[in-house]
Structures are given as C-alpha cells and as structure tokens.
Amino acid sequence: MTRRSVATFLFGCVIAATTTAGAADRVVATFKPVHSLVSAVMDGVGEPYLIMKGRASPHTYRMRPSDAGVLGKARVIFMVGDLVESSLAGAIHKLGGKARVVELAEVPGLVRQPLRKGGAFEDDGHDHGHGHDGEAFDMHVWLDPVNAGLMALAIARTLSEIDPANAAKYGANADALVSRLDELTAQIAAELAPVRDKPFIVFHDAYRYFEDRFGLKAVGSAVVSTGRSPGVRRVRELRRKVRELGVVCVFAEPRYDPRFVKLITEGTQARGGTVDPAGMTVKAGPGMYFSLLRNMAASFKECLAPAGKD
C-alpha cells in the first residue's frame, strides 16, 4: 500500500469514526426502560445518553445543567410521551428544538389499554392517559414486552435514518432484541401461570399492560400519599377494601414507605409486596429491560404464591 493510499485509508477511518461517534453521542433517552431498548439497538455502535439516572422518577425529576446541554445538542430524543416524562416534557420540546423527538407511545401497532377508573380503582392524581385517535389510553405501554419489541423496531428505523452508515447494525440488533423479548414473554408466562387467579391491589395503577399480557388479576388500587402515612380512617377504608375484594397481596413501589403496606394489610389475610415499574432499583444498560420484567414477575409470584403458603 502506497503512502498516499495509507493516508487516504486512515483519513477515511477517521471520518467514519467521527460520523458514527457523533451520531451515537447525540442520541438521548429519558429514563431507564427507554434507555435500555435504545442501548440494545445501538450495541456495537455507541451508547445513548440517559437523562434520569439512579432512582429518579419521570414525574418528579429535576433536570441538571448538564442535561440541558445534552438536550440542546441532541439529534434524536427517545421518550415514552409527555404524560410519562411530565417533569421533562417542557424542557425536551424547548431545549431539544433541533432534535427529532420520538414518542414511543405513538409507535403504530402498539397494544393500547384504556384507562381504569371508578369502582375499586382510585384516581392517584397523575394524568396517565393520552389522547390517541380521539380516545384516552394508559401510557405505561413499555410494560408489555410485545410493545417493547415494536418500540425496538421503531428505534432502529429512526437511528438508521440519522445514521445510515450503521443501518444494518441497528436492524440486526433490533431483530435479535425482538427474538429475546419473545423468549422472555414465554418464560414469564409459564412462571406466572400458577398465580393468574390470585386477586391483588396496587398503590399505583401502572401495571395493566403487564397484567393483561400475563393474565394477572388486579382488582383495584389503594392510593396512598408518598409523603405521609395515611390517617386512621383511610387505613380502615383500605383494610375494608382488601377484605371485601378477597385480596391476596397489596403491592407498593420503591418510592413508598414499606410501612404503608403493613398498615393496610394488618388484620387481613393479605400479604405485602413491592413492584418497580420504572426500574428505579435496576442498573441501567441494554439488559436493564429484561431485569425489570424478570424482577416484576418474581415479585408477583413471590407475593401471590410464596413457597410453603399456597
């Protein structure tokens, strides 16, 4: 190889590396489940920037100056939708004005569940519904692994458009991810089959997509403030609900004080459990989504039919 051809070859490598790195460095994901899917599709190309790290909630996150800088330079921002990342939505649309904002809840073909209101399901004060073709639907769409597969394919299409040099890689990664999600769905379905008829209630009605995919039986919700313990009258009301609905388990989330569950289940036959729908306690990365769903399945199974109990 001549000196000129070597120089030309090296220059081409530098240009390709710069183009690829630039595309990867300017891909942003809002919170961990979204980041996990984007990371898996980008495997071997780059790592997307995660805004909400650690135990951050998409409803209450306070954006840092460094996040604002990243949003301002982003080429594409992946999120579920304004009503999920409510603490960030304004900043995303203002600071990320030059970026393509992809709302994954709007991906064509997703299973969309109607909101549950009234009866045993209480209003928790958060607007989790979104208008789609004139109808409101529950925005926790990522908790159905079939939906996650469709999101992965949409993520790959978007990345291929902004970084065509790596389109084949994105497509292959997305296809592999969908296959793994199909396997995960089958595994969880088999694991949860024995507890499908066990009634439970939740503090936050966030699990309908997971419930419906795997045939679980939520019978209501019990709204409790994360900032203070419920009063005596409220505790009595919730205990009565637990007894009247024949509840086997009451599920809270990591953001709730675990003593809340004990207050509500005391004097009843129900047990207490914790489910983490946003993966607050799970390490970020391409495998995070799989850990999230496996952890949820384990939590439901353990509380609804613990070893030696049923």
Side-chain angles (χ1 to χ4, degrees), residues 106 112 130-137:
E106 299 297 333
R112 294 185 175 88
H130 182 71
H132 178 78
D133 294 335
E135 297 183 3
F137 65 92

Side-chain angles (χ1 to χ4, degrees), residues 158-175:
T158 299
L159 292 174
S160 296
E161 291 171 3
I162 68 169
D163 182 21
N166 287 297
K169 183 66 172 175
Y170 297 135
N173 285 345
D175 288 342

